[in-house]
């Protein structure tokens, strides 16, 4: 549940950043995005450490090194894929919008939010399945 709450905070923060940029296009971006990005950052903090603990909690001690290595490998692959997807969205939008950085940033923000929303859905499914299994 803590991981799901963190993911929800990230989704809210990123969506809030997108909304702030949309609603206040002429305001200084650092001022209008600081609050939503703070929420997203706090959400990220609620995800990272508990996720590592949950992932490694079921690994037997003799295999702890291998488990941690697999976790790190999965995190690196996920980070690379996410950066590639968001970066591709940004540059494709930048090219199609003839250099409009604001539109490209907003488009890539939507892609990032969608990726985190998918992770949130997986976390919610995991919570439901775990509760059914415990009953």
């Amino acid at each position: 549940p803590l991981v799901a709450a963190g993911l929800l905070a990230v989704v809210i923060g990123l969506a809030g950043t997108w909304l702030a940029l949309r609603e206040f296009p002429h305001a200084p971006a650092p001022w209008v995005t600081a609050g939503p990005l703070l929420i997203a950052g706090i959400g990220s903090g609620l995800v990272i450490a508990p996720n590592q603990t949950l992932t490694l909690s079921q690994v037997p001690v003799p295999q702890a090194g291998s488990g941690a290595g697999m976790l790190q490998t999965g995190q690196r692959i996920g980070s690379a894929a996410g950066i590639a997807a968001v970066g591709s969205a940004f540059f494709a939008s930048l090219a199609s919008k003839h250099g409009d950085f604001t539109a490209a940033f907003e488009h890539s923000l939507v892609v990032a939010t969608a990726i985190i929303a998918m992770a949130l859905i997986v976390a919610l499914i995991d919570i439901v399945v775990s509760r059914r299994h415990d009953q």
Side-chain angles (χ1 to χ4, degrees), residues 15-74:
T17 301
W18 176 82
L19 186 62
L21 291 171
R22 278 274 188 198
E23 293 299 315
F24 306 103
H26 301 295
W31 289 110
V32 297
T33 60
L37 288 176
L38 176 64
I39 293 168
I42 291 169
S44 293
L46 292 173
V47 171
I48 295 168
N51 196 32
Q52 290 180 339
T53 302
L54 287 169
T55 302
L56 296 175
S57 69
Q58 300 298 315
V59 177
V61 174
Q63 285 86 29
S66 297
M70 289 301 295
L71 172 63
Q72 290 294 316
T73 301

Side-chain angles (χ1 to χ4, degrees), residues 59-135:
V59 177
V61 174
Q63 285 86 29
S66 297
M70 289 301 295
L71 172 63
Q72 290 294 316
T73 301
Q75 287 176 332
R76 298 301 176 264
I77 291 170
S79 294
I83 290 168
V86 173
S88 295
F90 178 84
F91 288 110
S93 181
L94 189 64
S96 69
K97 302 286 184 181
H98 308 292
D100 184 353
F101 278 90
T102 302
F105 179 69
E106 289 176 355
H107 189 228
S108 61
L109 198 54
V110 168
V111 171
T113 305
I115 291 169
I116 301 299
M118 286 188 288
L120 175 59
I121 291 167
V122 171
L124 293 173
I125 291 169
D126 184 53
I127 290 168
V128 169
V129 169
S130 293
R131 287 193 177 155
R132 285 185 184 163
H133 184 269
D134 291 341
Q135 293 177 350

